[in-house]
Amino acid sequence: MTDLSTRDLLLKTASDLFRRKGYDGVGLSEILKASGVPKGSLYHHFPGGKAELGAAATRWIGGVLQRRLDRAFESSASFTDGMVALCALLGDWVALGACPVMSVVQAGDQDPQLREAARAVLDDWRGCLRAHAERLGEPDPEDLAEQLLMQLEGAWVIASAEGEPRAFRKLSDFLQKAQKLAI
Amino acid sequence: MTDLSTRDLLLKTASDLFRRKGYDGVGLSEILKASGVPKGSLYHHFPGGKAELGAAATRWIGGVLQRRLDRAFESSASFTDGMVALCALLGDWVALGACPVMSVVQAGDQDPQLREAARAVLDDWRGCLRAHAERLGEPDPEDLAEQLLMQLEGAWVIASAEGEPRAFRKLSDFLQKAQKLAI
DNA sequence: TCCGCACTAGACCGATTGGTCCAGATGGGC
DNA sequence: GCCCATCTGGACCAATCGGTCTAGTGCGGA
């Protein structure tokens, strides 16, 4: 662990490419070329090869995004405000790629590591949403977190297919409208 | 067009495999072996190769699923009832593979046909939901369709990651709870 | 100074990829 | 009976796949 940079560079490059093209859509050679890291280094840091790299990259980018999620909610006065901020953020990032979970789930058939990494990221995000819902005084934070995770993932799929953040803007509108009705 | 069976067999086999493993996770050889169709026939029916087959298979399975969607709503007294029936159906089908849209969106980088097919399927489904919402007397069918499409896609992603239909059951519960509140 | 370990660098491997090509089978219209 | 178009069957191709292996590099501690 003396050299964080090579390992982290691989994680960042790999997760970028996986999110853009999907796990099976990216070859190791492409990751190596983009990162400038030779093959020997990859197999030194990830002896399990592509599958281990894929699982690690998924968890890594999952953690990065979760920290952004936390920040969005911490600077918001209500849960709805936090969700609106999050939608704006994810909308701006549509061009950077799809949801990291979506990028690896279908490759879970080949290697259980990948499916497990995807599950773990979803669980973390759900727990994170639940905690903020509870903190901001929402009733039934468990169900609210589940429902919003669903809507976020769905918006991400649609936005990726359309290549533009329209779906996230729509979701943002829905949430604000629902809040107005509740007041 | 004398022989529909070979072409249709290819479409069915390909969409099955693509939904299970993703577009880039399936090789042509696997499709050919599973269907028993030789390579020459594939390139006769789909001169554009894998991309054309992928786009056609996506639209084909999209149409099949839309017909099931229609049936679920036609035998329901309210929009919520239709959605609940649809959730049950999709929940039972989780093992059959992910959403066909999700299977090809990320491969849209390689070939625009695939992205366009994914968009077209989403548009069809959205239009279909909107029509049923309107027919069943829902106010603002446009937005309702959009929101439910989002939730369905999100539930599908989560259910695929978890390998079980829990997410669809949750979505079903949410919709029924929301209906009770509105009454 | 020199040893030892963590790491880099990339040549090399067999398997598989998507794609091309053509020889043959088939069948309906003349 | 013949012919042409449609379709099938599969050999063959270069390129790329993920993975292995080993020689070399550089640095920290004894």
Side-chain angles (χ1 to χ4, degrees):
Chain A
M1 228 163 270
T2 50
D3 186 15
L4 287 177
S5 109
T6 297
R7 190 187 152 91
D8 282 0
L9 180 60
L10 280 172
L11 289 175
K12 176 164 174 34
T13 309
S15 63
D16 271 3
L17 288 169
F18 287 153
R19 284 180 60 195
R20 256 189 261 274
K21 308 189 178 190
Y23 177 79
D24 283 307
V26 182
L28 288 187
S29 63
E30 194 175 352
I31 298 174
L32 297 176
K33 196 172 66 182
S35 62
V37 169
K39 191 169 272 195
S41 304
L42 192 158
Y43 277 88
H44 171 77
H45 292 289
F46 304 97
K50 193 189 183 187
E52 184 182 344
L53 172 63
T58 300
R59 290 175 193 269
W60 181 81
I61 186 68
V64 170
L65 291 178
Q66 184 181 321
R67 257 163 268 139
R68 300 294 307 223
L69 185 152
D70 275 329
R71 228 180 304 166
F73 276 100
E74 274 159 13
S75 58
S76 297
S78 73
F79 192 74
T80 300
D81 283 0
M83 281 297 299
V84 167
L86 189 57
C87 283
L89 201 62
L90 293 179
D92 288 343
W93 287 352
V94 164
L96 298 183
C99 169
V101 169
M102 176 178 142
S103 302
V104 297
V105 270
Q106 293 193 127
D109 264 29
Q110 322 167 18
D111 202 302
Q113 292 178 73
L114 293 168
R115 188 175 295 271
E116 207 159 332
R119 276 200 57 146
V121 168
L122 280 183
D123 286 345
D124 286 351
W125 289 355
R126 186 187 294 113
C128 196
L129 286 172
R130 198 202 58 79
H132 286 292
E134 195 164 22
R135 182 176 60 82
L136 291 166
E138 292 286 340
D140 206 346
E142 191 82 37
D143 274 5
L144 187 60
E146 184 76 51
Q147 194 167 10
L148 286 177
L149 186 63
M150 237 176 242
Q151 289 175 315
L152 282 173
E153 288 296 328
W156 218 333
V157 170
I158 296 172
S160 294
E162 295 181 345
E164 49 155 335
R166 189 193 60 87
F168 281 114
R169 272 186 264 115
K170 269 285 181 187
L171 176 55
S172 191
D173 290 347
F174 294 149
L175 295 170
Q176 287 176 304
K177 208 179 292 179
Q179 191 190 35
K180 269 188 194 162
L181 283 180
I183 291 176
Chain B
M1 233 172 262
T2 51
D3 186 14
L4 288 176
S5 112
T6 297
R7 190 188 151 91
D8 282 0
L9 180 61
L10 279 171
L11 289 175
K12 175 164 173 37
T13 309
S15 63
D16 270 4
L17 288 169
F18 287 153
R19 283 180 60 195
R20 257 189 261 275
K21 309 190 177 188
Y23 178 80
D24 284 305
V26 183
L28 287 188
S29 63
E30 194 176 352
I31 298 173
L32 298 176
K33 197 173 65 183
S35 62
V37 169
K39 190 169 274 195
S41 304
L42 192 156
Y43 276 88
H44 171 76
H45 292 289
F46 304 96
K50 192 187 182 187
E52 185 181 344
L53 173 61
T58 300
R59 290 175 192 267
W60 181 82
I61 186 67
V64 170
L65 292 177
Q66 184 181 321
R67 258 163 268 140
R68 301 294 307 223
L69 186 153
D70 274 329
R71 229 178 304 165
F73 275 100
E74 273 159 13
S75 59
S76 297
S78 74
F79 191 74
T80 300
D81 284 359
M83 281 298 297
V84 167
L86 189 57
C87 284
L89 202 63
L90 293 179
D92 288 343
W93 288 351
V94 164
L96 298 183
C99 170
V101 170
M102 176 178 141
S103 303
V104 297
V105 269
Q106 294 192 124
D109 263 30
Q110 321 166 19
D111 201 300
Q113 292 178 71
L114 293 168
R115 189 175 295 272
E116 206 159 332
R119 276 201 59 148
V121 169
L122 280 183
D123 285 346
D124 285 349
W125 290 353
R126 186 188 294 112
C128 197
L129 285 172
R130 197 202 59 78
H132 285 291
E134 196 165 22
R135 183 176 60 83
L136 292 164
E138 292 286 340
D140 207 345
E142 190 83 37
D143 275 5
L144 187 60
E146 184 77 51
Q147 193 167 11
L148 286 177
L149 186 64
M150 236 177 241
Q151 289 175 315
L152 281 173
E153 288 296 328
W156 218 335
V157 170
I158 296 172
S160 294
E162 296 181 345
E164 48 155 337
R166 189 193 61 87
F168 281 114
R169 271 186 264 116
K170 269 285 183 189
L171 175 54
S172 191
D173 290 347
F174 293 150
L175 295 171
Q176 288 176 303
K177 208 179 292 179
Q179 192 190 33
K180 270 189 195 162
L181 283 179
I183 291 177

